[in-house]
Amino acid sequence: MSESKFIFVTGGVTSSLGKGIIASSLGNLFQSRGYRTTILKLDPYLNVDPGTLNPYEHGECYVTKDGAETDLDLGHYERFLNLPTTQLNNVTTGSVYQNVIDRERKGDFLGKTVQIIPHITDEIKNRILALETQKKFEIIIVEIGGTVGDIESLPYIEALRQFKFERKNDVAVVHLTLLPYLSSTGEIKTKPTQHSVKTMLQSGVQPDVLVCRTEYSLTDKVKNKIALFCNVEYNCVIESINADTIYEVPLLMLDQGLDQVVAEKIGLGKLKKINNSIWKKRLDKLKNPNELFIVGIVGKYVELKDSYKSIYESLMHAAAFLGKGISVKWIHSEKLNNNNVKNELFDCQGVIVAPGFGDRGVDGKIAAVKYVREQKIPFLGICLGMQVAVIEFFRNVCGYKTAHSSEMDLTTKYPIIDLMKNQNNIINKGGTMRLGSYECTLIKKSKSFEAYKKNTIHERHRHRYELNNYYKSDLISKGMIMAGSNKDLDLIEIVEIVNHPWFVGVQFHPEYQSSFINPHPLFVSFVKAFLNK
Ligand code: GLN
């Protein structure tokens, strides 16, 4: 195949229907049938990237290996396809306009009036085609964020209309909608779906396949009605019933032949045989665990679980791999202190202290670390979670009671965590942290080495502050182990402590590299530590 095939995934009726999971599931099925597949997210907001967004807005910011700060759906793409994405896999309206306006300033448009059609829509199409140009992918799935009918998504739907017209035989449109159930009459209602398809038709786009979110199974009558009113074939009305876990969705879609009906729309004909036996085995282990554990996640955004999406999913990957069940106890760091920490954490077999920025909730995180260190409870500190582990140790074991991170206390006499040198004169907040994948060398006698079983690893970063090397020898003399470091930049990337069953703090984000098929070694090792207890 010389050119790529494109599958657009749009959403109607409401947001949060799980377009990312449907796009990922479809990608997973094509990949399991031997097609080289990638997924691209088009985000309608005006931020250039989600790096400057508060997690309460859209959940976690996901970081690609090449250092792009992206939408959390890219995490799903990587977890379902077990393949890295890059900065090409996320487009935002902000970045589209920024490019077009930069080119206008350079005079690239030769005096023409710069307009949404064709200039913005061309830019959107070019960003989609950039993935085809790489010649790496046979299937490119394009998820359009937001809901059809939103003012913000209009240029994307228009770009889709043009794209479909230009590449008729290479494009399929899968539209995800909601079928509400009215308990008073005991009926599934199709009208909102009809309206959302009409909204697409007003923009000149006829969906080829409808995936319908529903709480109850669809009867033939309902499917026929949707087919008739929405101009789609009966076998292109696919039900997406609530699943126990997101990792079941590819199999639910496979049962109804979603990949096959889409394949026919893009001229692929009968698909090659599927190879998904490992996926099925893992899913079975995830759904039938032989032991249950509670893991506490301490963070300041726990009201919105999506803020820690990748951490949660990494725990599920490790659980599925080991055949254990993990239930997460969400613990608000702002409500935690030395007096109540025991009450909050006593039932946790392991504790994760989450990443974060700013001083809100930091004292609670420090209290959590003190407790797990003293009680010898397995602990994984991620990014800020690692930094607070170092602060706690420096204060309570080394005796520097007023030590802090200069992020939280600029005037501290002992800045045990301090701004990285190259961050000093940075003014812009967007895209200026230490971002993306960096090498880290492990020392042999460490829990980290036992987990990774290699000397050199690569992990993704997103931070401005670092362990202050000036105090390294104080920490080491009291039993902190500098288990991993970046030699080029002279940065400590992993700390552990002696005489503890499993205490690991990492300056990077292991959660960005865990997938359902390939669970992250640190998370597996962390969960294994509960078994050994
Ligand atoms: N705020 C810390 C820093 O910038 C930690 C960042 C994080 O947890 N991602 O270094």
Side-chain angles (χ1 to χ4, degrees), residues 355-357 383-384 387 407 462-465 509:
F357 295 85
C383 209
L384 180 62
Q387 296 176 354
E407 179 182 6
R462 183 173 186 247
H463 63 114
R464 293 187 203 280
Y465 293 80
H509 292 263

Side-chain angles (χ1 to χ4, degrees), residues 12-13 18 27 29 86 88 124 127 179 187 193 250 266 272 276 295 307 309 319 322-323 386 396 413 420 470 492:
V13 183
L29 293 177
T86 69
L88 291 182
I124 294 170
R127 300 283 280 272
L179 297 179
E187 273 180 307
T193 294
I266 46 181
K272 300 177 227 171
N276 61 351
V295 172
S307 308
K309 192 83 209 161
L322 297 168
M386 173 265 201
N396 299 329
K413 211 169 145 202
M420 279 180 276
Y470 183 75
I492 296 302

Side-chain angles (χ1 to χ4, degrees), residues 499-511:
N499 300 327
H500 191 287
W502 210 92
F503 186 104
V504 179
V506 291
Q507 184 58 82
F508 48 78
H509 292 263
E511 71 274 21

